[in-house]
Amino acid sequence: MRLPRENIDLPEDRGCLQWVLGIPLVLLYVPAAFACWAAVATEPESPYDQLREDARFMGNCSVVLCLLGLLITITPVFRRTMGRWWFAVPFLIATVAYFRAQTV
């Protein structure tokens, strides 16, 4: 017979686990946000400017980092412990970066 204290999903234990599981996601999303910002901030002057390819590359790097973070977030350990907003931030960053990479 299990005692109530032996449950693995105690609410008071989730705080530390969220911090531990959130660190790899933050380490992916901070460079993704920076790459997205770099893609948006880059303004090429002509269609043949090298900055255009750089903006596309940074936008695509941001999308790849966000998709990698989303793949990690989909795993059952993360899904059970982390909140739903962990899906919103990388989706927003990836959407902005993708549209910038396509329209530059």
Side-chain angles (χ1 to χ4, degrees):
M1 178 175 179
R2 288 184 121 183
L3 298 173
R5 292 287 297 164
E6 293 179 7
N7 189 1
I8 195 169
D9 293 330
L10 290 174
E12 61 267 7
D13 292 340
R14 288 185 71 193
C16 181
L17 187 59
Q18 286 177 342
W19 276 97
V20 170
L21 294 177
I23 289 173
L25 295 177
V26 169
L27 290 176
L28 282 172
Y29 297 152
V30 168
F34 177 74
C36 181
W37 173 80
V40 170
T42 304
E43 292 292 332
E45 294 180 8
S46 71
Y48 305 107
D49 194 2
Q50 180 63 31
L51 288 177
R52 181 178 178 161
E53 295 302 318
D54 293 342
R56 281 189 179 162
F57 177 76
M58 294 302 279
N60 291 332
C61 283
S62 179
V63 170
V64 167
L65 287 173
C66 287
L67 289 178
L68 187 66
L70 285 172
L71 284 176
I72 291 173
T73 308
I74 289 174
T75 60
V77 173
F78 280 81
R79 214 175 21 174
R80 185 177 54 188
T81 306
M82 308 302 274
R84 290 185 178 158
W85 71 273
W86 284 94
F87 288 104
V89 173
F91 184 74
L92 178 68
I93 293 171
T95 303
V96 170
Y98 176 77
F99 282 117
R100 178 59 181 171
Q102 296 301 318
T103 59
V104 74

